[in-house]
């Protein structure tokens, strides 16, 4: 069984030449499973860290990131249509939820479902809980230190 794991794309800030190199490896290797192992999006605008004023609005970052995510998975599906594909959420993916919990927890019931769709892609199974691992036979995939193991 062959695997390829892509980590921390941090869309929309991905280094495109590096992704295109990974895509050519995917195309030539033809793995059975392709796993994006977390931090598909960066969510810089939702970070608790200081931000550059006027750099990008949260709305624009989400729009650009989603467009990049659609392109990434479209290209992966095209390069390797037979592989099973998985999207795992990471700690950056949790940034909007964490911010809502801190600033306005009563809005969580509206925010969580509206973010969930950002991780849905054609032919891709999504693990929406960033602390959940993906197990394929005897191989475990997880993002960062968030394991329940």
């Amino acid at each position: 069984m062959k695997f390829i794991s892509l980590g921390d794309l941090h869309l929309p800030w991905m280094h495109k030449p590096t992704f295109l190199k990974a895509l050519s490896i995917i195309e030539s290797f033809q793995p059975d499973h392709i796993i994006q192992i977390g931090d598909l999006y960066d969510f810089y605008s939702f970070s608790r860290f200081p931000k550059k004023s006027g750099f990008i609005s949260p709305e624009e970052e989400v729009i650009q990131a989603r467009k990049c995510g659609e392109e990434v998975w479209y290209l992966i599906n095209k390069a390797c249509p037979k592989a099973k594909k998985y999207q795992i959420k990471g700690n950056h993916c949790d940034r909007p939820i964490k911010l809502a919990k801190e600033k306005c927890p009563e809005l969580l019931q509206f925010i969580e479902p509206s973010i969930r769709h950002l991780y849905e892609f054609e032919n891709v199974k999504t693990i929406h809980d960033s602390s959940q691992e993906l197990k394929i036979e005897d191989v475990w995939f997880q993002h960062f230190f968030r394991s329940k193991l």
Side-chain angles (χ1 to χ4, degrees):
M1 192 170 322
K2 300 185 294 186
F3 299 91
I4 285 188
S5 176
L6 301 169
D8 298 67
L9 296 179
H10 290 277
L11 302 176
W13 322 118
M14 172 182 73
H15 186 254
K16 197 159 188 166
T18 302
F19 171 72
L20 292 175
K21 177 65 177 170
L23 193 62
S24 72
I25 292 168
I26 288 169
E27 193 167 30
S28 63
F29 188 61
Q30 290 296 303
D32 301 303
H33 301 275
I34 301 169
I35 303 98
Q36 199 291 316
I37 202 156
D39 290 353
L40 177 68
Y41 302 128
D42 189 76
F43 286 136
Y44 166 84
S45 302
F46 300 91
S47 169
R48 62 182 167 88
F49 300 106
K51 295 169 225 26
K52 183 178 176 182
S53 179
F55 178 63
I56 192 168
S57 72
E59 179 183 22
E60 188 58 33
E61 181 182 3
V62 170
I63 289 168
Q64 287 182 26
R66 176 60 190 187
K67 183 178 177 186
C68 290
E70 289 172 357
E71 181 181 8
V72 161
W73 281 114
Y74 169 78
L75 292 171
I76 290 171
N77 275 314
K78 186 176 175 186
C80 192
K82 293 181 181 178
K84 292 182 181 176
K85 297 159 191 89
Y86 306 89
Q87 176 66 60
I88 299 174
K89 289 177 69 178
N91 56 309
H92 281 245
C93 305
D94 291 338
R95 282 178 167 177
I97 302 302
K98 288 175 91 173
L99 183 64
K101 281 181 183 176
E102 291 171 11
K103 302 289 184 183
C104 198
E106 56 275 8
L107 290 179
L108 274 177
Q109 65 181 329
F110 304 107
I111 293 170
E112 285 183 306
S114 68
I115 290 173
R116 189 177 183 90
H117 84 279
L118 294 174
Y119 295 91
E120 299 295 329
F121 301 96
E122 189 174 339
N123 300 318
V124 179
K125 179 182 178 186
T126 301
I127 309 298
H128 286 282
D129 180 349
S130 63
S131 65
Q132 183 180 339
E133 299 82 14
L134 169 66
K135 182 182 178 193
I136 302 171
E137 294 201 15
D138 290 332
V139 181
W140 292 77
F141 298 89
Q142 66 182 42
H143 182 80
F144 203 43
F145 62 89
R146 308 196 117 193
S147 171
K148 291 180 183 175
L149 291 175

